[in-house]
Amino acid sequence: MTLKARIPSLRLVPQAALVAGAFLLLAGCGEKAEDRQIAAGLACLDSAQNENDAEVCLQKVDGLTSRKSYLIRCSANFIAQGFTGQRIADAFQKLKDNPGGSTTPTSAMMAYFVFAKNLPNHTADRTVENCTRSEVKGLIQLATTAKLATFVANPGGGILAGTNLDPASGNFDAGAIQAQLNNLANGGATPQQLTEIGNIATTAQSAYCTAGSTFKDQDVCSKLDAAITAGGGNPSAIATALLDLLTP
């Protein structure tokens, strides 16, 4: 399976100029040691299938601090958590669709982004850090979505592998993520959890909802924009507003 099939390229998710784009960035690399490490990291990603492969790819760029090295780390994080190009394409299709009933489009999308595996080098927080340092907007969008979805899925922390909130096992349960959102909206969140959700929402709004973004007029941005406005800069208030908006 090629790298383009594992992580979404411009062909699958127009907003995400992901690892495939790195080959263009690296065209014409010389023979410096860092260039060789980056090339080795990209080659590693192209055949990576699971978390063990992703760990090897991280080792290829150990010690590097360039944007390209963080792009490799960020992509390895997603591969380790079981992401494929098809999974992300399906997630964004859910955002475009209107499931109706008891599930919002944003909730349906979030179900695909839960990081269920307990992997210290591939947490949602680590992924946001690596993707942000890559400076690739599409990667930052994916990472902030994963962080929000993962926190909502299990705000207390722990392992979700094998549950109905584990997309890596093929369980893209929009109903389960919606139930979590409903619980948080109805008094199930601590003040600290509300603050965390508000902070993540603020980061996500900056990543998704700027002028010219493809997502600007979609459900995710209408809700994030409204929550940010209602919250008036207070993370807890932003979270409360967002959770209310994500509850049908």
Side-chain angles (χ1 to χ4, degrees), residues 3 12 22 30 34 41 43 64 66-67 84 99-101 112 117 122 149 157 159 180 194 203 221 227 241:
L3 183 58
L12 283 176
E34 179 171 345
L64 301 184
S66 66
R67 290 173 54 198
T84 64
Y112 285 76
K117 297 180 182 179
H122 305 284
I159 301 174
Q180 291 291 92
L194 287 173
T203 302
C221 281

Side-chain angles (χ1 to χ4, degrees), residues 110-111 113-118 124-125 145-167 176-181 183-184 188-190 193 196-197 200 243:
M110 287 170 61
F113 277 92
V114 176
F115 275 25
K117 297 180 182 179
N118 184 25
D125 284 343
T145 304
K147 184 171 180 177
L148 181 60
T150 301
F151 189 83
V152 165
N154 192 2
I159 301 174
L160 292 168
T163 72
N164 61 348
L165 287 170
D166 177 12
I177 201 78
Q178 187 65 62
Q180 291 291 92
L181 287 163
N183 176 61
L184 292 170
T190 67
Q193 289 167 348
E196 179 69 6
I197 292 170
I200 299 170
L243 290 170

Side-chain angles (χ1 to χ4, degrees), residues 1-6 19 23 40-49 57 79:
M1 183 179 291
T2 66
L3 183 58
K4 289 183 179 181
R6 302 281 313 160
V19 177
F23 289 105
L42 287 169
C44 179
L45 285 177
D46 203 27
S47 59
Q49 300 289 320
C57 298
I79 290 172

Side-chain angles (χ1 to χ4, degrees), residues 41-222:
L42 287 169
C44 179
L45 285 177
D46 203 27
S47 59
Q49 300 289 320
N50 52 46
E51 58 264 34
N52 292 329
D53 296 338
E55 287 291 336
V56 173
C57 298
L58 290 184
Q59 294 168 14
K60 300 291 186 183
V61 293
D62 187 46
L64 301 184
T65 59
S66 66
R67 290 173 54 198
K68 297 169 188 176
S69 70
Y70 282 108
L71 187 148
I72 290 169
R73 292 184 182 97
C74 171
S75 300
N77 295 149
F78 281 108
I79 290 172
Q81 288 289 344
F83 279 67
T84 64
Q86 190 60 56
R87 171 173 163 179
I88 295 175
D90 289 346
F92 285 112
Q93 186 60 49
K94 292 294 184 181
L95 183 62
K96 294 178 182 179
D97 296 338
N98 188 347
S102 60
T103 304
T104 70
T106 297
S107 304
M109 176 190 72
M110 287 170 61
Y112 285 76
F113 277 92
V114 176
F115 275 25
K117 297 180 182 179
N118 184 25
L119 302 173
N121 288 332
H122 305 284
T123 63
D125 284 343
R126 183 69 61 85
T127 304
V128 168
E129 178 183 346
N130 289 333
C131 295
T132 299
R133 292 186 176 184
S134 79
E135 300 181 26
V136 177
K137 184 176 180 180
L139 286 172
I140 298 169
Q141 290 173 339
L142 299 182
T144 55
T145 304
K147 184 171 180 177
L148 181 60
T150 301
F151 189 83
V152 165
N154 192 2
I159 301 174
L160 292 168
T163 72
N164 61 348
L165 287 170
D166 177 12
S169 297
N171 300 322
F172 306 105
D173 193 339
I177 201 78
Q178 187 65 62
Q180 291 291 92
L181 287 163
N182 296 348
N183 176 61
L184 292 170
N186 293 312
T190 67
Q192 293 80 8
Q193 289 167 348
L194 287 173
T195 296
E196 179 69 6
I197 292 170
N199 287 332
I200 299 170
T202 300
T203 302
Q205 194 261 356
S206 296
Y208 273 100
C209 307
T210 55
S213 169
T214 302
F215 297 103
K216 184 66 177 174
D217 297 322
Q218 294 191 21
D219 184 71
V220 62
C221 281
S222 68

